[in-house]
Amino acid sequence: MRNFEEKDVVRDIVENILSDYKNGRDIDKMTVFHQPDREAIIDIVTKLMRIFFPGFYRDKVYRFYSVRNNVSVLIEDVMYNMQKQIAIVLHNKCEFECCDEDDIQKTAQELTFEFFQKVPKIREYLNTDLQATFDGDPAANGKDEIVLCYPGFLATTIYRIAHELFILKVPLIPRIMTEYAHSKTGIDIHPGATIGRYFFIDHGTGIVVGSTTTIGEHVKVYQGVTLGALSTREGQKLHGKKRHPTIEDDVTIYSGASILGGATVIGSNSVIGSNAFITKAVEKNSRVSIQNQKLYCRPGEKTQAELKDLNLNDGWY
C-alpha cells in the first residue's frame, strides 16, 4: 500500500513541475537542441591548446609520428566540432530565425574557416605574452613552466581564442570559453575586451577585465585588479557602450587596484599602486599610490624593553 502512495506523490510532483514549465518565462524555454554543449566547447579549448603549443601538451588520442599528420588530424577534429557548436548557437541569432539548416551550416563552416585562418596571429600574440611573462617574473625558471603552470598565461590564452570568435560575432561560445578559464584560474576576462601584445598577468587570482576594456601593449596586471564599469544602474541601456577603462602602453597595475569607467584613461608609462581606486583619467608617466596609512598594533603584555627591541616607529601604536 505504501508503494502506491509513494508513486502517487511522485506522479503529483512530476505533474506540478511540468505545469510550472508552461508559464512562458525565460527559464521555461525548451529549445535544448539550440544550446551548445559546454563540455564539447571545453574539449575544443583543450585541443586548441595542443595546436597552439605542439611541444607542450601530450597527445593522448592520435598516434602519428609525423607532426604534419598529427596536426592535420587534430585540426580537422577541432574544425568539425567547432562548426557543429557554432551551427547550434547560430539558431539563437535573430537573423538566422528564418534560415534553413543548409544556410546555417554554411555560415558555421565559413566562421570556422575564418577563425582557423587567424591561428598564426593568435600564436604571434601568445608568444609575446610568454616573453613578457618570462621577462617580468624573476620566479620563472623557464618558459615551459609558464606555459604549463601559470594561471595568468592560461587565462590569457583562452581569452585570445575567445576574443577572435567574439570579433566574428559568434554568440555564446566565447563567453563559455572565458568563463571556463575563470573557473580554472580565478581570472575573469570578458572576450569582448581588447588586449595588446606583451600582456602579463602576475599571480592573477581575482582579476576582472570588463567587456569594453582596452589594454595597450606591455601592460602588467597583478592579482585582485578590477578594470570595471563605474555604474551599471542603467542595466541593458548601457549594452554596447564604452563602460570600462582604457589602459595605455607600458602600464603596471598592482594588486587590489580598481580602475572604473569608460572615460577613465590610464596614460602610458604609468604605475598604479596597490588598492588605488581610480575613476578619473591619469596622465602619462604618472605614479599613483595611496598615502601610507598608520598601522595599529596592540603589544599586549610585552615589557618596555621588548617593545624597544621591536623598533616600532611612530606609525605603530
Side-chain angles (χ1 to χ4, degrees):
M1 187 67 178
R2 183 179 177 184
N3 288 338
F4 286 110
E5 291 177 354
E6 289 178 354
K7 289 180 180 179
D8 289 341
V9 171
V10 172
R11 184 190 64 222
D12 290 343
I13 290 172
V14 171
E15 290 300 324
N16 188 35
I17 293 174
L18 289 174
S19 296
D20 190 57
Y21 290 160
K22 299 176 182 179
N23 288 318
R25 302 163 299 186
D26 290 335
I27 60 172
D28 298 326
K29 65 187 297 184
M30 303 293 280
T31 54
V32 65
F33 296 108
H34 292 172
Q35 304 303 330
D37 184 337
R38 184 176 181 275
E39 296 304 318
I41 292 169
I42 292 172
D43 185 61
I44 288 170
V45 169
T46 301
K47 289 176 179 176
L48 282 172
M49 296 294 287
R50 298 219 306 272
I51 293 171
F52 290 149
F53 307 105
F56 292 89
Y57 291 92
R58 183 172 298 177
D59 184 355
K60 296 181 180 180
V61 179
Y62 309 117
R63 304 301 180 202
F64 293 96
Y65 291 101
S66 164
V67 173
R68 175 179 292 274
N69 290 342
N70 194 319
V71 172
S72 178
V73 171
L74 183 58
I75 288 174
E76 288 182 15
D77 181 343
V78 176
M79 289 181 73
Y80 170 79
N81 286 290
M82 180 177 286
Q83 178 181 332
K84 183 178 178 181
Q85 294 303 313
I86 291 176
I88 291 171
V89 298
L90 287 179
H91 287 92
N92 295 317
K93 296 190 73 173
C94 296
E95 57 262 45
F96 290 95
E97 285 182 353
C98 298
C99 292
D100 60 33
E101 193 61 31
D102 289 341
D103 289 337
I104 290 175
Q105 290 294 336
K106 182 180 178 181
T107 301
Q109 184 182 62
E110 291 171 352
L111 291 170
T112 302
F113 286 165
E114 285 188 62
F115 170 81
F116 272 89
Q117 287 167 355
K118 294 184 178 185
V119 166
K121 173 193 169 186
I122 299 172
R123 295 189 72 240
E124 175 198 345
Y125 272 65
L126 288 173
N127 191 60
T128 69
D129 300 331
L130 178 59
Q131 187 64 50
T133 304
F134 181 73
D135 291 341
D137 186 5
N141 293 309
K143 293 179 180 178
D144 291 15
E145 180 180 339
I146 294 168
V147 174
L148 295 173
C149 303
Y150 278 40
F153 189 73
L154 175 61
T156 301
T157 299
I158 297 175
Y159 152 77
R160 295 211 183 275
I161 295 168
H163 180 66
E164 294 302 327
L165 291 169
F166 183 90
I167 291 173
L168 293 171
K169 298 182 179 180
V170 174
L172 203 53
I173 292 174
R175 195 64 186 273
I176 291 174
M177 289 179 170
T178 54
E179 288 303 328
Y180 166 66
H182 186 189
S183 69
K184 293 284 287 185
T185 66
I187 299 167
D188 182 4
I189 308 176
H190 193 284
T194 301
I195 301 177
R197 295 177 176 87
Y198 296 96
F199 184 55
F200 172 30
I201 291 176
D202 201 357
H203 302 292
T205 305
I207 285 175
V208 177
V209 180
S211 61
T212 61
T213 302
T214 300
I215 298 176
E217 298 188 349
H218 296 278
V219 171
K220 180 190 291 188
V221 179
Y222 284 80
Q223 69 273 15
V225 166
T226 296
L227 304 179
L230 186 58
S231 173
T232 57
R233 190 176 303 168
E234 295 184 50
Q236 282 296 312
K237 292 180 181 179
L238 296 172
H239 184 78
K241 296 182 179 180
K242 173 71 170 169
R243 307 182 304 281
H244 304 93
T246 296
I247 313 297
E248 295 185 347
D249 297 345
D250 299 294
V251 171
T252 298
I253 308 173
Y254 283 102
S255 60
S258 294
I259 304 173
L260 310 178
T264 304
V265 178
I266 305 300
S268 61
N269 196 37
S270 294
V271 176
I272 308 301
S274 295
N275 300 318
F277 187 87
I278 299 174
T279 59
K280 295 181 180 180
V282 172
E283 294 182 2
K284 64 180 182 180
N285 301 315
S286 296
R287 300 294 181 268
V288 179
S289 61
I290 296 176
Q291 186 176 2
N292 288 338
Q293 298 175 336
K294 290 184 177 180
L295 183 63
Y296 294 91
C297 177
R298 293 179 179 275
E301 299 300 324
K302 292 183 180 296
T303 66
Q304 289 300 316
E306 289 173 324
L307 292 176
K308 186 176 181 181
D309 289 340
L310 289 174
N311 293 318
L312 302 181
N313 58 35
D314 292 339
W316 288 71
Y317 292 89

